Amino acid sequence: MNPHISLLMLLCLGASALFAGCTAPHDPQPTPTTTITTVPTTQIPAVESPVLTIDPRLDEMKITFDAVEREDGQGVILKLHVDPKGAAIARDGADILTTFFAYNTAARSGDPVPVSADEVRAAGVPYRSVFITVYDAPVEITADLPRESAIKRLDISRDYVYGAVIWIRD
């Protein structure tokens, strides 16, 4: 092979290697960013008032429950109506313990709703327990919360829940 051709091929090969670096982009490549995907949390369903837990032994009695906000804006008056008409359990007198409660939902967000008198007392919410013996006549039991409670934290201008636990006292 001719030494000139060999030298010429060697120079072409070297030049192509030098120019190959010149055609690469000089700007720095952007660093890939990590995308964060948020997983929606399960929304806790809103608790609706009234929350009632009634002893199944009281099924024969007609029990209704309502609440009226105090006119002065300082609380809520809870009223439980018990009509024992025809209930066999009321003939000898049924000892009923009612624990009324009310609380602001923001103060207990995510906490379960109390469903027993012990849970109400442990929850640190305004409550009042009333004991009454029910015979054959209808009765009304009331509670004024937070006025009649040792715990006075209830703001009726904000969302709140009220309820009662009605149980036969053993």
Side-chain angles (χ1 to χ4, degrees):
M1 185 178 235
N2 189 350
H4 292 301
I5 293 179
S6 299
L7 184 61
L8 190 56
M9 286 180 71
L10 186 62
L11 285 175
C12 284
L13 184 62
S16 65
L18 286 174
F19 289 118
C22 293
T23 61
H26 291 289
D27 296 334
Q29 294 296 318
T31 306
T33 57
T34 306
T35 56
I36 300 172
T37 305
T38 57
V39 178
T41 57
T42 304
Q43 185 71 15
I44 298 172
V47 178
E48 301 226 357
S49 293
V51 175
L52 281 176
T53 303
I54 302 173
D55 190 321
R57 298 174 286 182
L58 298 172
D59 283 346
E60 295 178 339
M61 294 185 188
K62 181 180 178 187
I63 298 174
T64 57
F65 186 60
D66 58 60
V68 177
E69 291 182 354
R70 290 176 42 103
E71 289 180 11
D72 62 5
Q74 298 300 309
V76 61
I77 298 172
L78 306 173
K79 296 179 182 181
L80 181 74
H81 306 275
V82 179
D83 186 355
K85 185 177 179 181
I89 195 169
R91 288 189 188 119
D92 296 327
D95 296 332
I96 297 177
L97 177 64
T98 302
T99 303
F100 296 97
F101 62 89
Y103 62 87
N104 291 104
T105 54
R108 290 185 43 85
S109 64
D111 289 341
V113 175
V115 292
S116 72
D118 289 337
E119 288 179 9
V120 170
R121 287 187 289 272
V125 299
Y127 76 91
R128 178 171 184 237
S129 293
V130 178
F131 175 75
I132 190 167
T133 301
V134 176
Y135 291 97
D136 291 334
V139 294
E140 179 180 276
I141 308 165
T142 62
D144 186 349
L145 295 179
R147 179 177 277 182
E148 297 177 345
S149 175
I151 299 166
K152 305 292 187 194
R153 292 182 310 260
L154 179 63
D155 182 358
I156 65 168
S157 67
R158 298 177 187 239
D159 290 339
Y160 66 93
V161 172
Y162 64 88
V165 177
I166 308 143
W167 217 254
I168 291 181
R169 187 172 179 184
D170 295 319

